[in-house]
């Protein structure tokens, strides 16, 4: 009697889907799991059944790309690059249909789209942007991605933390951004210019991107030899305002920061769009940039170099990251070691930051 895939799975103590992943070699699997599967294959003298493999891999030509806001240039740049790779294909007719799913930042919508993609037997899924840091939501996302992976879909995370899929022995291929390191270098730049009273406008408190960028900012402040008060941690907390990732949030947050410290000399925004709102609020208060208050953003979106003054920011190569995620989900790029590739960020110093002018309360 011929040895089946299920026999190998039982011998290795894993699912049949995990055995298939190991044999195909197109998806990251934990080293110990991969070794168990290979040992079981050798011990049972298993021969791959081509017809069975084709049947098991019967997925549609659909690849889902989940974004928070397709109108946001951050997500638009990533999604367009992902879509180009998905549609291209290695040969004529070799591409797939990319469907961009706009969640509006809603955790419930994210779960709904993942369920719909599972029902459509999607060939792949790319999740972009920061993750909602909730144990309940993380568990729900993990369960859906595990089922998608088990059905043959390639799962890729772009711009969010790695997410193991424990029940399958798999790790979702991840293109991560160095948000902490970029934010740290940005605040270190302001400190090197002589700024000590630095406000920070962060994003939604439950988002991983917000937390990582704020942690980088706070790390730079904590390690600086310069101190504004005897309790720098409390001071940094007082000069942090949470909001959303839009212009209106930046405007309101800047006014609140000026209320908390009228002698503020610099404001760091969680992204470039928020920074635009900060700049508008400062001008409406009769303050010049960077003469009175320096302003910095994050992401280096296309408009950042064209505003006046040009915005100091942290560059993430979003199109490069999106293209890489697209090649991963299409199986045209080998998964990185451990399943995670970290995209480095670059400090872009422009005209919106300068040494403090000596303006005081």
């Amino acid at each position: 009697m011929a040895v089946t895939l299920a026999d190998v799975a039982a011998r290795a103590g894993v699912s049949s889907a995990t055995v298939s992943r190991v044999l195909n070699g197109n998806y990251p699997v934990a080293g110990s799991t991969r070794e168990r599967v290979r040992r079981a294959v050798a011990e049972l003298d298993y021969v791959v059944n081509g017809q069975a493999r084709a049947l098991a891999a019967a997925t549609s030509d659909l690849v889902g790309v989940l974004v928070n806001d397709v109108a946001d240039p951050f997500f638009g740049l990533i999604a367009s690059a992902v879509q180009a790779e998905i549609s291209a294909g290695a040969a004529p007719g070799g591409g797939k249909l990319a469907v961009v799913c706009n969640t509006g930042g809603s955790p419930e919508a994210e779960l709904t789209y993942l369920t719909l993609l599972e029902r459509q037997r999607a060939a792949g899924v790319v999740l972009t942007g920061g993750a909602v840091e909730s144990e309940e939501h993380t568990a729900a996302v993990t369960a859906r991605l595990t089922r998608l992976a088990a059905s043959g879909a390639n799962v890729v995370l772009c711009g969010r933390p790695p997410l193991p899929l424990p029940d399958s022995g798999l790790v979702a291929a991840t293109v991560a951004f160095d948000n902490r390191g970029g934010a740290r270098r940005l605040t270190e730049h302001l400190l090197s210019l002589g700024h000590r009273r630095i406000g920070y406008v962060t994003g939604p408190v439950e988002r991983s991107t917000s937390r990582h960028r704020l942690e980088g900012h706070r790390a730079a402040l904590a390690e600086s030899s310069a101190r504004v008060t005897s309790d720098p941690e409390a001071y940094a907390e007082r000069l942090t305002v949470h909001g959303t990732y839009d212009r209106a949030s930046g405007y309101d947050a800047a006014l609140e920061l000026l209320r908390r410290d009228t002698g503020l000399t610099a404001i760091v925004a969680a992204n470039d769009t928020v920074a635009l709102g900060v700049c508008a609020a400062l001008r409406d208060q009769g303050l010049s940039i960077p003469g009175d208050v320096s302003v910095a953003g994050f992401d280096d979106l296309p408009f950042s170099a064209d505003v006046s003054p040009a915005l100091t920011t942290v560059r993430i190569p979003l199109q490069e990251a999106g293209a890489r995620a697209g090649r991963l989900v299409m199986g045209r790029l080998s998964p990185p070691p451990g399943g995670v590739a970290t995209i480095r960020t670059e400090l872009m110093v422009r005209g919106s930051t300068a040494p403090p002018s000596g303006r005081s309360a």
Side-chain angles (χ1 to χ4, degrees):
M1 186 174 180
V3 176
T4 67
L5 193 74
D7 295 329
V8 175
R11 174 68 67 93
V14 299
S15 68
S16 295
T18 298
V19 174
S20 179
R21 297 291 192 186
V22 173
L23 294 176
N24 289 331
N26 63 351
Y27 204 90
V29 179
S32 59
T33 302
R34 186 168 58 250
E35 183 56 35
R36 289 206 313 276
V37 170
R38 289 175 176 170
R39 189 184 309 120
V41 168
E43 292 172 352
L44 296 175
D45 197 21
Y46 174 69
V47 178
V48 176
N49 183 320
Q51 290 182 328
R53 172 184 281 184
L55 182 62
T59 57
S60 70
D61 284 333
L62 175 69
V63 177
V65 184
L66 274 64
V67 301
N68 283 359
D69 183 1
V70 72
D72 185 328
F74 176 91
F75 292 102
L77 288 168
I78 294 176
S80 64
V82 173
Q83 186 172 17
E85 291 291 336
I86 292 171
S87 303
K96 294 187 180 296
L97 174 65
V99 176
V100 178
C101 307
N102 192 73
T103 68
S106 164
E108 293 76 18
E110 183 173 77
L111 295 176
T112 298
Y113 278 125
L114 289 176
T115 299
L116 291 172
L117 290 168
E118 182 185 353
R119 290 175 182 171
Q120 294 297 318
R121 294 191 62 80
V125 178
V126 180
L127 280 77
T128 69
V132 174
E133 297 193 313
S134 152
E135 289 186 9
E136 181 180 357
H137 183 70
T138 299
V141 170
T142 300
R144 284 163 174 76
L145 293 183
T146 299
R147 292 197 299 269
L148 279 160
S151 70
N154 285 339
V155 177
V156 179
L157 310 179
C158 184
R160 65 171 59 193
L163 184 65
L165 307 180
D167 294 337
S168 65
L170 305 174
V171 177
T174 302
V175 180
F177 301 156
D178 182 21
N179 287 306
R180 286 190 187 89
R184 181 171 177 167
R185 287 189 294 275
L186 184 59
T187 299
E188 287 173 345
H189 163 67
L190 291 170
L191 289 167
S192 72
L193 292 175
H195 292 280
R196 300 296 178 262
R197 302 167 83 166
I198 305 172
Y200 191 90
V201 184
T202 187
V205 66
E206 74 279 1
R207 291 282 171 176
S208 59
T209 299
S210 300
R211 180 171 62 84
H212 294 164
R213 292 182 182 182
L214 180 57
E215 286 175 352
H217 168 70
R218 294 275 178 86
L221 293 178
E223 294 182 11
S224 172
S225 58
R227 291 288 183 268
V228 177
T229 69
S230 58
D231 191 350
E233 186 174 336
Y235 185 77
E237 182 66 34
R238 187 166 73 87
L239 290 188
T240 298
V241 176
H242 287 272
T244 53
Y245 285 123
D246 57 27
R247 184 181 182 277
S249 179
Y251 189 100
D252 293 340
L255 296 181
E256 174 60 20
L257 285 170
L258 290 173
R259 185 190 67 79
R260 294 182 186 183
D261 185 348
T262 57
L264 210 64
T265 65
I267 297 177
V268 178
N271 71 9
D272 294 341
T273 304
V274 172
L276 290 186
V278 170
C279 291
L282 293 175
R283 292 192 182 100
D284 285 351
Q285 295 299 305
L287 299 172
S288 68
I289 306 163
D292 293 318
V293 181
S294 288
V295 178
F298 206 111
D299 293 334
D300 196 26
L301 298 178
F303 61 76
S304 301
D306 297 325
V307 296
S308 181
L311 187 65
T312 291
T313 185
V314 174
R315 181 176 186 269
I316 301 177
L318 296 173
Q319 289 177 303
E320 174 188 322
R324 189 167 186 173
R327 291 193 294 273
L328 281 167
V329 81
M330 290 297 289
R332 294 200 297 270
L333 182 66
S334 298
V340 181
T342 300
I343 302 295
R344 289 191 57 79
T345 54
E346 179 183 0
L347 177 64
M348 309 297 292
V349 178
R350 300 191 179 112
S352 67
T353 54
S357 64
R359 184 178 67 91
S360 60

